[in-house]
Amino acid sequence: MSVLEQGKVAIIDDTVPLTCVITGTETVQSHTEFILRVQRGPIKENVWEIRRRYNDFVTLHENLRISGVDLPLPPKRLLGNMEREFIAERQHGLQALVNAILEHPMLAAFDIVKKFFDTVNYNRNHSESALQFVSMFLRSEPHWEVVEPLKEMGWRIRKSLFLIKPKDQPKQRLLLTWIEYGPDRLLSAKDQAAVMKLLPNIQHPSIHPFLHAIANENGALVIRDFNKDGCMRDIICKTKPTKASFLKRYCTPKSVQCFSMAEIKQYGRQILEVLKFLHDKGLAFHHLHAGNVLIEKEVCKLTDLENYMIGIPPYYKQFYSQFRKIHSSESIDVYSFGQLLYEMVFGKPLNQATIDFLPPNSPATIRSVLESILSTEACKMGLPTLEGLLSHPLFADETVRTVGIKPQLKIPSKLKETFKQYKEGSERKLKEEQKVIGQVRRLTKAKAHHSSDSERRRRKLEARKKSQKKLDLVKENGSTEIPDATTPTTPDSATSSAPAASTS
């Protein structure tokens, strides 16, 4: 397989979670600066320090208020705000605010949050760069023109969406997507171009069709029909894709709509079948979530299939990368299906890696599927296969309703080998990342155990026992001098301390 040359500039994985600890404060010209220690991922070396004033936190809080998430901002104080006790109390409150933001998957992925904690890597205006590339593309394809940018439609920082129209059909609306390459990209420019050329040839009733797909050295551009009703998450949250900001639509919707048992069985079967189709062709999806599933005339359609081809990290990667058993492409899609099924059933995302206690009123068949995918035991021991899920009683007897499109995807022999090696390379990279996560977790656990109260008590008790043994040994030897434990007795020292032998 043609692979990108080594030595390329590393691309940040936006799905890797950030953690932050406010380590202290410093008074600078009559105001207080809080010192933040920020870390990306599990590696301790990937850390940096930033300084923020209280007003910076206020601005961040104001920008996130639209989400409706309860974020605990410590109040302002006009007098006595430089007192030591007050500053310590405020630091504690700001730490709670930071934790609440970074532990919320949607908020943590928001560009304003990324820029607040990592200005160096998020100082570029991706929207302006995308508009430049799109403008260059439309110069070479003059039969399309931009209607408006859709700035609030998606969550990815390096992805830009535009509403466009054909000049000869001014009432028709299409969706143009520009997305930069991700850190998991492995294909060369030549293979990347061949893969993008293949995408419009995919025919499947449950894959949203591509009208146009190209790639250059910076990213990929895709055009497809625009669905005005939005994705599955829009249906759950009772909203529209262009109605309001992303955070307002999805973080705390006023009301939600759960899917019925009949819909869950039908849509679940459709999604499993299209996933099985992709894997049978040597491909994968990896980006299954409620934002990437459209429903048109009772038929589910997966969208954003190109994300897998250009190395974009999946939304649920921060969750499944914790488990060594979830390392194959199929297990990634199965895990993502479990997360999607949970959201369909309960009307809200799980927002965590596993769940071991489902509501008691959950139907037995649904409970069985969710526990086989999302329980801690399942993630540690291994997930079911797509074939196994298709034969599960929840989906086995369901007849798929389609619009009559016969699934079709002819892959040239050369690309088959490319896809095979691409999948193997992606899985190998994930295993390496999981190995690092496991090592850090074991080290952290060992340190926590070493510093725990129980371990400290055990060490103290052990020290007392050793001290008592020394005292007992001294009493047995009839000596009042306690030997130094760090200087073991040697035969030479024993001889030198014995009385000198008399000579005749």
Side-chain angles (χ1 to χ4, degrees), residues 49-60:
E49 185 180 285
I50 59 174
R51 292 169 176 253
R52 294 289 183 264
R53 298 178 60 174
Y54 173 75
N55 287 341
D56 298 325
F57 289 96
V58 172
T59 301
L60 177 65

Side-chain angles (χ1 to χ4, degrees), residues 332-431:
I332 292 172
D333 280 337
V334 168
Y335 178 83
S336 302
F337 177 78
Q339 289 274 358
L340 174 64
L341 181 62
Y342 180 93
E343 192 167 349
M344 293 172 66
V345 173
F346 299 107
K348 59 181 180 181
L350 180 57
N351 280 344
Q352 61 189 42
T354 60
I355 184 168
D356 293 316
F357 301 99
L358 293 166
N361 59 344
S362 306
T365 52
I366 291 179
R367 176 186 293 272
S368 174
V369 175
L370 290 177
E371 288 177 345
S372 72
I373 300 174
L374 295 179
S375 67
T376 303
E377 182 182 4
C379 289
K380 289 183 177 180
M381 301 304 294
L383 306 186
T385 62
L386 291 170
E387 191 68 45
L389 289 174
L390 283 166
S391 62
H392 189 278
L394 183 62
F395 308 112
D397 299 328
E398 193 70 15
T399 302
V400 171
R401 298 189 293 268
T402 64
V403 293
I405 300 177
K406 183 179 178 181
Q408 181 178 342
L409 174 57
K410 294 181 179 180
I411 302 176
S413 300
K414 185 179 179 181
L415 274 184
K416 286 183 179 179
E417 183 62 22
T418 298
F419 284 138
K420 178 183 177 181
Q421 295 188 29
Y422 181 77
K423 181 181 287 188
E424 291 174 351
S426 299
E427 293 174 349
R428 186 165 53 250
K429 189 174 185 295
L430 175 59
K431 289 179 182 179

Side-chain angles (χ1 to χ4, degrees), residues 11-12 180-185 310-313:
I11 301 174
I12 295 296
E180 300 174 17
Y181 291 119
D184 298 331
R185 181 195 178 198
I310 60 178
I312 303 300

Side-chain angles (χ1 to χ4, degrees), residues 40-220:
R40 176 182 292 105
I43 302 177
K44 298 295 184 182
E45 291 75 17
N46 196 1
V47 66
W48 59 94
E49 185 180 285
I50 59 174
R51 292 169 176 253
R52 294 289 183 264
R53 298 178 60 174
Y54 173 75
N55 287 341
D56 298 325
F57 289 96
V58 172
T59 301
L60 177 65
H61 184 268
E62 286 295 318
N63 288 329
L64 298 179
R65 283 184 62 185
I66 194 171
S67 68
V69 178
D70 184 20
L71 298 175
L73 176 70
K76 291 184 178 182
R77 183 174 175 179
L78 296 178
L79 300 176
N81 57 9
M82 299 299 291
E83 295 176 359
R84 182 178 299 178
E85 291 183 359
F86 174 74
I87 292 175
E89 181 182 348
R90 173 171 280 183
Q91 178 179 332
H92 180 75
L94 292 176
Q95 183 67 64
L97 172 65
V98 166
N99 294 343
I101 293 172
L102 295 181
E103 290 171 4
H104 193 291
M106 285 190 182
L107 295 184
F110 202 47
D111 60 343
I112 291 176
V113 174
K114 295 288 189 183
K115 290 176 182 177
F116 181 89
F117 291 101
D118 188 1
T119 308
V120 174
N121 289 300
Y122 293 94
N123 59 357
R124 185 161 65 90
N125 191 321
H126 295 278
S127 298
E128 289 185 1
S129 301
L131 185 58
Q132 292 177 5
F133 289 119
V134 171
S135 299
M136 292 174 59
F137 165 75
L138 292 178
R139 287 196 205 105
S140 61
E141 301 285 345
H143 49 283
W144 285 313
E145 65 179 352
V146 174
V147 176
E148 62 175 317
L150 302 176
K151 296 182 179 180
E152 295 287 354
M153 189 168 173
W155 64 275
R156 289 192 182 271
I157 295 174
R158 305 169 200 276
K159 180 178 182 179
S160 298
L161 303 169
F162 298 86
L163 198 64
I164 67 170
K165 64 181 180 181
K167 290 185 177 180
D168 57 348
Q169 300 180 53
K171 292 186 178 181
Q172 184 181 2
R173 294 295 180 266
L174 305 174
L175 182 66
L176 184 150
T177 302
W178 165 261
I179 187 164
E180 300 174 17
Y181 291 119
D184 298 331
R185 181 195 178 198
L186 298 175
L187 297 177
S188 68
K190 182 179 178 182
D191 285 342
Q192 194 74 69
V195 168
M196 299 303 290
K197 186 177 180 181
L198 179 70
L199 293 180
N201 296 326
I202 299 177
Q203 294 184 18
H204 195 286
S206 290
I207 295 180
H208 196 44
F210 295 83
L211 302 179
H212 193 78
I214 61 170
N216 62 19
E217 67 276 9
N218 297 293

